[in-house]
Amino acid sequence: MTPDEHVAMFGTVDGELRVGGMPLSRLAARVGSTPFFAYDRSLLDGRIDRLRAALPERVELSYAMKANPMPAVVQHLSKRVDRIDVASALEMQAALDTTIRPEQISFAGPGKAPAEIHQAVAAGVIIEVESTTEIGRVIAAGDALGITPRIAVRVNPDFAVKGSGMRMGGGPQQFGIDAEQVPAVLEEYRDAGLDILGFHVFAGSQNLNAAIIAEAQERTVDLVSSLAEHLRTPPRYVNLGGGFGIPYTEKDRPLDLDAVADGLRALIDGPLAQRLPDATPVIELGRYLVGESGVYVTRVLDRKVSRGRTYLVVDGGMHHQLAASGNFGQAIRRNYPLVVGNRADAAGVDGATVVGCLCTPLDLLGDDVALPDAGIDDLIVIFQQGAYGLTASPTAFLGHPAPAEVLV
Ligand SMILES: *Cc1c(COP(=O)(O)O)cnc(C)c1O
């Protein structure tokens, strides 16, 4: 998607980018300092409405909150999703602070500490176990607390998903229990006093190819159906993962959600209804729910020309937004969409290089971007900042203050 398409998604008012209904410069005044992250409520809601309209009704929607754990965002989304997926005890506490019931919270992650497992068993959330060591710790916590733990087995599938930005299943993995080991594990823990609800398969993240996502879901249902034969009671929970991607660069096209939904509907009405009739299918999404609703807003501190190249130095950088600098799992650095937000209507004329304020050449936010002639105090906005921004960045690096975050 192009920067213009992102501007159109947010809209403009008086020539400025509109965020949360406000012209950007007014929002910056309201926040009181730059840089800051702003998340647009109406875009969050629009995304959920779109998903609900497309996906089969039986599918429950889970928010993978590591994408954006800001409490206001989590609270807002908790009224609109069915479930929350957490990956630490701290995230679990934030999820338990919402009105989502503990039975609707799942806890995944390959390195849950024994203390976290104890907390999770006490809370009554679904623990997605990733090894037999974890199963042992869950049983010990259940015994100590006098509670039957509720678990799902996270399975490392015997297939890999192509086209994922980050692969998290197939081949050797630190995630989950290898599919071929699962039958024996289920036999071993049959009488261990666990409530085994079902399975979780998460094959990968940031996929923009609907056909590949649909195929992964199909293979997941197939795999889970055969593993289910080794359970004492039919599965009530089948977490199909997610991995829906968002277009970060100009070359990326948005995911064809209707195509994904069509595949899912066929799967749910067919194989899932026949082979896993008691199971609630769950799709868990992080960036697809929140990523596109967020902007990172920085102010130009300096404009300089070095041997013919124009640099705009802004007051933010990779310490708040590691991914835009190309250092969060990308094989090749590509520009994130960015604009001069207080002059969003102006045409790009100038090839400018936007750099952050850190004293390292890694702190590159936009390489040779077409921007309107921008100078000191202009507001440079980076799009696609609602997920894996602030909490996925090295904020302590160079000791600059933390940015504000607002939900508007
Ligand atoms: C990180 C993660 C997600 C969310 O991934 P997105 O790409 O943000 O949708 C979902 N499920 C699990 C298990 C995860 O670890």
Side-chain angles (χ1 to χ4, degrees):
M1 264 171 81
T2 64
D4 284 349
E5 289 174 292
H6 287 283
V7 169
M9 233 174 91
F10 280 81
T12 56
V13 48
D14 300 333
E16 295 198 50
L17 187 72
R18 184 178 63 203
V19 180
M22 272 188 170
L24 186 70
S25 58
R26 170 110 182 247
L27 177 62
R30 190 199 105 170
V31 173
S33 59
T34 51
F36 64 91
F37 286 88
Y39 314 114
D40 187 305
R41 259 180 243 272
S42 65
L43 289 179
L44 283 175
D45 291 347
R47 178 48 58 99
I48 303 242
D49 291 346
R50 170 88 178 86
L51 271 162
R52 292 286 193 198
L55 294 179
E57 212 169 310
R58 235 185 108 192
V59 172
E60 292 197 1
L61 205 53
S62 182
Y63 174 46
M65 72 174 272
K66 79 170 186 285
N68 188 333
M70 184 203 183
V73 168
V74 175
Q75 288 289 340
H76 184 78
L77 285 177
S78 70
K79 300 185 183 73
R80 289 161 176 81
V81 297
D82 307 297
R83 295 171 177 265
I84 297 180
D85 182 67
V86 302
S88 71
L90 196 67
E91 286 191 359
M92 183 182 79
Q93 300 296 359
L96 290 167
D97 283 343
T98 69
T99 52
I100 300 268
R101 288 173 290 119
E103 311 89 85
Q104 299 285 104
I105 295 171
S106 52
F107 189 167
K112 303 176 198 77
E116 290 182 304
I117 289 176
H118 199 82
Q119 286 173 274
V121 171
V125 304
I126 303 170
I127 303 169
E128 299 188 318
V129 294
E130 315 235 0
S131 72
T132 50
T133 308
E134 277 199 354
I135 298 177
R137 288 178 180 149
V138 169
I139 293 168
D143 286 346
L145 289 159
I147 294 172
T148 302
R150 312 174 71 251
I151 70 164
V153 177
R154 180 164 181 185
V155 181
N156 176 25
D158 47 7
F159 58 86
V161 175
K162 291 196 198 84
S164 288
M166 287 193 199
R167 217 179 79 181
M168 293 172 76
Q173 288 289 342
Q174 72 266 50
F175 306 106
I177 299 173
D178 291 348
E180 55 278 19
Q181 292 175 16
V182 171
V185 169
L186 292 176
E187 293 301 330
E188 186 181 346
Y189 293 98
R190 225 179 147 74
D191 301 311
L194 296 167
D195 185 7
I196 307 179
L197 298 169
F199 301 96
H200 174 212
V201 180
F202 182 70
S205 219
Q206 180 53 21
N207 206 318
L208 289 169
N209 186 319
I212 292 175
I213 292 175
E215 188 195 326
Q217 290 175 340
E218 208 179 307
R219 295 182 75 166
T220 298
V221 168
D222 198 42
L223 173 62
V224 166
S225 301
S226 68
L227 295 176
E229 291 161 17
H230 302 272
L231 281 182
R232 177 171 278 172
T233 51
R236 285 153 282 160
Y237 172 81
V238 176
N239 187 333
L240 300 170
F244 298 10
I246 59 174
Y248 282 111
T249 71
E250 201 153 331
K251 286 172 108 179
D252 293 337
R253 298 314 305 162
L255 176 68
D256 183 351
L257 182 64
D258 291 324
V260 175
D262 287 348
L264 201 51
R265 182 164 294 106
L267 197 57
I268 281 170
D269 293 345
L272 196 117
Q274 285 152 23
R275 299 178 71 188
L276 301 164
D278 300 316
T280 299
V282 177
I283 295 288
E284 70 185 357
L285 300 173
R287 73 188 77 219
Y288 194 76
L289 293 184
V290 292
E292 295 184 80
S293 72
V295 288
Y296 177 53
V297 182
T298 65
R299 194 179 290 278
V300 177
L301 291 174
D302 203 352
R303 176 190 167 107
K304 57 203 275 193
V305 178
S306 166
R307 304 205 165 109
R309 182 185 287 234
T310 302
Y311 285 88
L312 297 171
V313 185
V314 301
D315 59 2
M318 68 181 283
H319 52 315
H320 303 153
Q321 186 30 255
L322 189 63
S325 74
N327 293 293
F328 189 64
Q330 297 94 331
I332 304 167
R333 189 196 170 283
R334 292 206 173 87
N335 288 336
Y336 272 44
L338 63 83
V339 297
V340 180
N342 52 311
R343 282 191 277 136
D345 278 355
V349 290
D350 217 12
T353 294
V354 180
V355 296
C357 58
L358 301 191
C359 195
T360 161
L362 295 177
D363 198 3
L364 172 63
L365 298 176
D367 191 11
D368 195 17
V369 191
L371 291 176
D373 186 33
I376 291 174
D377 280 340
D378 274 326
L379 296 170
I380 303 279
V381 172
I382 308 181
F383 292 104
Q384 305 297 68
Q385 296 302 310
Y388 306 108
L390 184 55
T391 58
S393 301
T395 44
F397 189 36
L398 275 86
H400 291 281
E405 276 186 295
V406 290
L407 174 66
V408 278

